[in-house]
Amino acid sequence: MARKIASFLACLLAFSLLLAAHKHDKDAVFGQINAIVHSLSTISGLAEEHPVPYGTISKRQLRHFLSKRIKKTLNADEIQADELALKLFGLVPADFDLRKSTVDLLTEQAAAFYDYDEKKLFLLQGAPLDEQMTTLAHELAHALADQHFDLGHYMDESPSNDDENLAHTAVVEGQASWLMIAYNLSAEGKPPEPTPEMLRSVEDSDDSSGTDYPVLKASPLYIQQSLLFPYSEGTRFFDAAYKHMGRTAFSAVFMDAPVCSGQVMHPERYFAHEKPAIPELPKLNVGTGEKEVTEGTLGEFDERMMLWQYVGRPEADQLAPHLRGGQFRVTSEPKGVQPVLEYISEWDSTKSAADYFAAYKKILRRKWRRCDPSIDTDTVFAGTGDRGYFVTHLKGNMLTSVEGLAEAAVWARLRAVLNVTETPKLT
């Protein structure tokens, strides 16, 4: 969905969520850079092509840097479109400011980061680092990978859709997080292979991160999990790849990258090269003069977040893995008319689609203050909500939903989905 901004957030965050930290003299820290990179190279088999440039940055400079980078990476229209899509799906509140939230989150959390545009490591002035320098090892793992796989291109240009972008972010952060743990083990004279307990510590850090990061804790669930997913799921994904392929995994996950969040969450799908479905949105012609505002994919992560937020995490964990693929489009009509959200999802069976249809009814009822269905059957859920008329339709293993329709468009849409010449009246 709003994946560019989410991946931008994740790529600059220091991985400071795992371990307790202690202050170090920066010169002492930077004196260890070459030794850390050498160790990472030994573990991964990726040769160090050149020394890693480094510098320090103040919190004020960091905020200025982040604001400029967002403007450079994402124009105002893109940010507004991403923000609108999140609001229409009910994943963030109506007053949510995506740009401000992005800067606030990064300023709160960043302790060190590798900038793959400038090819340079930055350490925040006054930021504490763990006595084993694991945070620095994470960022230097990025630097080492960038020397071989051009992370700027890998993250920003090569993905073909939003969900693939999230998968690439998970590769970048997961590989670096795994290497960070392996580096710490190696520094202690132990085999550099994380144990299951160490991998679970990544997930445990997700659950406790709100204590140390109030801005993150106060953020909407979708934003929180967008930031944490690349670390928690990405680390588990890379561990599975390493166990499956050995050291060749350090190159394979970049050269033959996962293409969706589902492959990251279920590595067996990645190994089997199972591709997500791309269901085609129906041509609705819901109004005159409508203009596309934004469009994109919805992967397993997105569906899981919607279900988690409005139905509950157990049902989300059970149902989301059955998704095969999803698409959405937001259109707007002339000024004064609300935007229309068009959405389609494909499921792996008619049963899972029916289960999701029942869950999506709950999502619609709970994301709006008012939801008044006039048709509520096993295949059609239609009526009026906060944003006007809506129609949700189940056919086989496909669910389509249109929200924010003007009244005239409702008749045409209902005739299409119900395949009838006369349309049931909406009250």
Side-chain angles (χ1 to χ4, degrees), residues 107-121:
T107 304
E108 174 186 64
Q109 297 195 37
F113 65 89
Y114 175 76
D115 181 359
Y116 52 71
D117 279 351
E118 293 193 25
K119 312 294 184 184
K120 187 174 182 179
L121 174 73

Side-chain angles (χ1 to χ4, degrees), residues 109-220:
Q109 297 195 37
F113 65 89
Y114 175 76
D115 181 359
Y116 52 71
D117 279 351
E118 293 193 25
K119 312 294 184 184
K120 187 174 182 179
L121 174 73
F122 288 95
L123 179 66
L124 189 65
Q125 293 173 6
L129 289 176
D130 180 79
E131 61 184 357
Q132 298 299 331
M133 300 194 188
T134 50
T135 300
L136 192 57
H138 178 95
E139 301 308 320
L140 290 171
H142 287 327
L144 184 61
D146 191 36
Q147 293 180 9
H148 291 266
F149 307 109
D150 188 359
L151 296 188
H153 174 77
Y154 182 81
M155 293 296 302
D156 297 333
E157 299 176 25
S158 58
S160 62
N161 60 57
D162 298 336
D163 198 49
E164 184 174 7
N165 191 288
L166 178 63
H168 284 205
T169 305
V171 166
V172 170
E173 299 301 340
Q175 186 245 31
S177 300
W178 191 97
L179 264 177
M180 183 187 72
I181 301 171
Y183 165 79
N184 193 37
L185 289 169
S186 179
E188 295 174 355
K190 300 176 183 177
E193 295 187 10
T195 65
E197 292 74 23
M198 291 174 177
L199 296 174
R200 280 196 291 271
S201 73
V202 179
E203 184 174 2
D204 293 341
S205 71
D206 292 354
D207 295 334
S208 62
S209 59
T211 304
D212 299 321
Y213 302 104
V215 177
L216 178 64
K217 183 179 181 181
S219 298

Side-chain angles (χ1 to χ4, degrees), residues 353-354 357-358 361 375-381 392-395:
F357 179 66
K361 290 182 184 182
I375 303 174
D376 186 353
T377 70
D378 291 339
T379 57
V380 178
F381 187 60
T392 302
H393 180 230
L394 174 67
K395 184 176 182 180

